[in-house]
Structure formats: structure tokens, C-alpha cells
Amino acid sequence: MKKLNNSGFSMVQIMMAAGMMGLLSLGVMKIMENQRKSANAIKSSAQAHSFYLEAKAYMARPGYCKKNFNGLKVGEGDEFVLEDILKSNGKTLYKKGQILNQSLRLTSISTANYEKDTEFSALMDLRFKLDKIGNSYGAKGYTRILKLNLTLDKDGAIKDCTTFGVSSGAAFDGTPAANNIQEGLKDLHSGKKSAESEKVKSFLEKNAALKEMNKNIKTMNEMNKKMEEMFKD
């Protein structure tokens, strides 16, 4: 006959319950880790896109692109590695190794794909390589490319430039600002309606992969709540 303790449970039942609690605890920890990685992936992807739009708008401003490439003579196939990107006043805008909003590191700035289309104009790529900081799902980083429209002098050197297809008055309203993304994600997953959560929600709706990640986070949150209720009981 099995011995029962004062509460009416056998030692075998208690040991089984303890083992199951241990497994559940490991499961909860794994779910939380997956949730954190998914949230980081969404955050870093949104910030990489925000960086791209910001850089594109800056390089379209008068004097910004010219400050970095004026006088440079480029030939077909030439590629250059840059240490930084300067503002029109000479101050640093972006620098190699710079940390962007605690989730991305700017690891390289370079040019590629120079192509002369007329005697006094050419196109060239400006590439930014962004590496993720911390653990998350997906690729380890992102490459964001700006297409530059170059004006050349009679000797073929760059006289002026701007980002291709963007006016100097370009703006990027509607894209969640990098410093508000974390708040927006927190509000969205907690069910709180705010300006930040609405912007993040709108951004996620436009990207199928991020939308799926957000759906997984929602599912994991629901599982966490159910487990918490089980533990209370």
C-alpha cells in the first residue's frame, strides 16, 4: 500500500508533480527566450529600416552628399571604404563602429557599382553594413544601400550628388522612430493603445515576415498567461 502524506498525496505523486513542474519551468524559460529573440528581431529590422530612411533623407539635404564625395574621381569597378559620413558643416553624421539605438552596430561604410551614364553624370551605391547586437532570430545583420545620383565636372570628378529619386525636403513620417520602437512593442503586446503602438502596428502590417513574428510573440504571451494560471491553481 502506498503511503500518503497529510494532504492525501503519495510520495510518487509528489515526485511526479515536482518533475513536471521542473519541465514546465524549462518550457516557460524557453518560451521567454524565444519571445525575447522574436522581439529583438522585430526591433532590429524596424530600426534598420528607420536608419535607411534617415540616411536617405540626410544625404538628400543640400551639401551633405557633396561634403563626402566632392572632388573624388571614380572609375568603373572602383570601390571605396569610408570611416565616416559627414554633415555639410563637417561634423560626423555616421561613424564606423557606431552603436545605433543599442541594437545595431554600423560595421562598415563603402561605395560600389559606379556607373557613368552620361559625360557629366553617374550613379553609385553607398552601402551601410549593420550588425545586430544581442541574440535574435534571422540574419546576423543587414546591408542598406543608397543609390547616389552624381554630377561630374569636365575631368570626371564628382562635383555634387544626392540620393537617387529623393528631394531635399524628403521626410519619413509614419515610420516608427528608432527610439520609440521599444515602447511601441511593449504597448502593442500589453494591449495598451498608444501613438507608438499604432505606428509599430502599421509598420508590421507592411512586412509579412515581421507580421508572422509578431503573431508568434502574441501566441507565446497567451501560453505564458495560461501557465501562470496553472501555477496559481
Side-chain angles (χ1 to χ4, degrees), residues 71 73 116 119-120 151-160:
K73 208 166 184 179
K116 192 173 180 180
E119 185 179 357
F120 297 106
T151 302
L152 310 177
D153 62 20
K154 60 183 178 62
D155 298 318
I158 298 173
K159 184 169 68 174
D160 201 358

Side-chain angles (χ1 to χ4, degrees), residues 76 114-123 149-153 156:
E76 298 284 344
Y114 176 85
E115 180 185 352
K116 192 173 180 180
D117 53 357
T118 71
E119 185 179 357
F120 297 106
S121 66
L123 298 174
N149 190 17
L150 313 176
T151 302
L152 310 177
D153 62 20

Side-chain angles (χ1 to χ4, degrees), residues 4-27:
L4 302 180
N5 64 11
N6 293 334
S7 299
F9 294 100
S10 71
M11 290 302 296
V12 173
Q13 288 173 324
I14 292 172
M15 290 173 67
M16 287 179 64
M20 290 174 67
M21 288 291 287
L23 290 173
L24 283 171
S25 296
L26 290 174

Side-chain angles (χ1 to χ4, degrees), residues 72-91:
L72 183 66
K73 208 166 184 179
V74 186
E76 298 284 344
D78 287 349
E79 296 186 3
F80 295 90
V81 175
L82 307 173
E83 289 298 315
D84 52 28
I85 294 293
L86 303 176
K87 297 179 180 179
S88 57
N89 60 9
K91 293 182 179 180

